[in-house]
Amino acid sequence: MSTQQFDSTAQYIATDALKLAVNAARILEKPLLVKGEPGTGKTLLAEQIAQSLDLKLITWHIKSTTKAQQGLYEYDAVSRLRDSQLGDDRVYDIHNYIKPGKLWEAFSQDQRCVLLIDEIDKADIEFPNDLLHELDKMSFYVYETGETITAKQRPIVIISSNNEKELPDAFLRRCFFHYIEFPDQQTMRQIIDVHFPKISQKLVDDALKIFFKLRDIPNLKKPPSTSELIDWLRLLMADDLPENILQQSGENSIPPLYGALIKNEQDIQLLERLAFLARR
């Protein structure tokens, strides 16, 4: 295994705890399960690990309908039946109807790669258990061809979860776990500097004051995330608003371009009520 350590990159600020988690998972050769609020950079983490270590990234985006078998391979029996009826010679080689999945692709790489299993909690509860053997042994059996696919180089496996449902204990035991805490103000400033090196510090000060005040509002259904703060700052800079616009609107009204920060009507109504009460 390479001794190169994961570190922050030009596009990603990693805390010491996160860097330690990534490197610990590599030493243990276990999948790294990362949880955290949406928008805290879980998916981006895998991209930056690949960039930092100069490795290929293979991403498996999980949906509610995704089955574990699809990550291994899919056998297209319908196409084979149709080809047999048409007299196509392809039918005599079953490999023509085997479609490798993302795990097969990762296992087949001659060089070590990064495999991201993104938002695993979107799938049904049995999905993680169905991958226990494959992620533990780094191999699986193809029944249709009678062959065993084994990883040429053990990939670095990153698994992200938004905590929408609990994951099975047996699956958790096989992972190294890290929860990405929401960035504090100092870390957030570093993140902003990465995205906007020339941004006005006054704009940053005013924006962060409003942003963290929004996050502290009780009963807010969806507090704004890091990615939404970055979008908001990009809009504020693009619209070339007066430098003091945030100071004028921060205390007793909804922030300008709030649609980048607030994502549902209940939270907008809550902010409108609070702003009304503050002006009375």
Side-chain angles (χ1 to χ4, degrees):
M1 183 178 65
S2 170
T3 58
Q4 186 180 2
Q5 301 288 294
F6 168 67
D7 206 342
S8 296
T9 69
Q11 293 82 35
Y12 191 88
I13 299 298
T15 63
D16 289 341
L18 180 56
K19 288 184 279 188
L20 182 64
V22 171
N23 294 317
R26 292 180 63 208
I27 292 170
L28 294 173
E29 294 191 329
K30 288 178 176 283
L32 174 62
L33 173 62
V34 285
K35 292 185 179 182
E37 287 185 33
T40 50
K42 299 184 295 298
T43 301
L44 188 59
L45 170 64
E47 298 173 6
Q48 296 306 311
I49 291 173
Q51 179 179 317
S52 173
L53 303 177
D54 194 23
L55 301 175
K56 179 179 179 178
L57 173 66
I58 296 173
T59 302
W60 185 15
H61 295 292
I62 306 302
K63 302 177 182 178
S64 60
T65 55
T66 304
K67 302 299 180 185
Q69 180 64 33
Q70 294 172 301
L72 309 181
Y73 68 93
E74 293 181 87
Y75 170 51
D76 192 351
V78 174
S79 292
R80 193 180 188 203
L81 175 61
R82 183 191 64 234
D83 287 348
S84 69
Q85 293 170 338
L86 296 174
D88 194 322
D89 288 343
R90 282 167 42 90
V91 76
Y92 297 110
D93 186 354
I94 197 170
H95 289 89
N96 291 322
Y97 306 95
I98 301 289
K99 179 184 178 183
K102 294 296 184 179
L103 266 72
W104 190 331
E105 181 182 350
F107 290 1
S108 300
Q109 299 297 311
D110 291 325
Q111 303 296 325
R112 192 175 178 87
C113 68
V114 176
L115 171 63
L116 170 63
I117 303 177
D118 197 25
E119 298 190 330
I120 194 171
D121 52 325
K122 281 188 174 180
D124 67 54
I125 192 62
E126 291 304 319
F127 180 93
N129 281 335
D130 290 343
L131 290 176
L132 288 180
H133 173 84
E134 289 75 14
L135 292 178
D136 197 24
K137 303 300 182 183
M138 287 289 150
S139 69
F140 62 89
Y141 185 71
V142 182
Y143 293 94
E144 289 78 5
T145 64
E147 60 186 324
T148 298
I149 304 299
T150 302
K152 295 180 180 179
Q153 299 286 340
R154 191 179 187 98
I156 298 172
V157 181
I158 309 298
I159 303 172
S160 74
S161 170
N162 287 328
N163 233 0
E164 291 183 8
K165 63 169 69 79
E166 289 296 320
L167 299 174
D169 289 345
F171 180 80
L172 295 175
R173 283 197 299 271
R174 288 166 169 80
C175 298
F176 189 92
F177 173 75
H178 181 74
Y179 185 86
I180 299 181
E181 297 285 353
F182 196 83
D184 58 21
Q185 289 223 24
Q186 180 179 352
T187 304
M188 193 66 83
R189 287 179 182 274
Q190 292 178 297
I191 294 171
I192 292 171
D193 286 342
V194 163
H195 289 272
F196 310 111
K198 298 180 180 179
I199 193 171
S200 159
Q201 288 307 303
K202 184 177 186 307
L203 177 60
V204 173
D205 291 343
D206 293 343
L208 285 179
K209 182 179 179 181
I210 293 173
F211 176 77
F212 280 101
K213 183 178 178 181
L214 283 175
R215 284 187 55 85
D216 287 340
I217 293 175
N219 302 319
L220 203 64
K221 186 174 182 180
K222 188 198 174 303
S225 68
T226 305
S227 61
E228 288 157 349
L229 171 63
I230 298 303
D231 288 344
W232 187 46
L233 286 171
R234 183 174 287 113
L235 285 174
L236 291 172
M237 295 168 68
D239 275 26
D240 198 24
L241 298 173
E243 196 170 67
N244 64 346
I245 187 66
L246 295 184
Q247 283 185 324
Q248 295 174 359
S249 64
E251 292 298 326
N252 298 324
S253 63
I254 299 179
L257 301 169
Y258 63 84
L261 295 172
I262 306 301
K263 301 298 184 176
N264 65 73
E265 64 279 6
Q266 292 168 309
D267 287 346
I268 292 173
Q269 291 166 3
L270 175 60
L271 292 181
E272 287 173 341
R273 289 197 299 271
L274 293 174
F276 173 77
L277 292 173
R279 288 193 296 267
R280 292 183 64 181

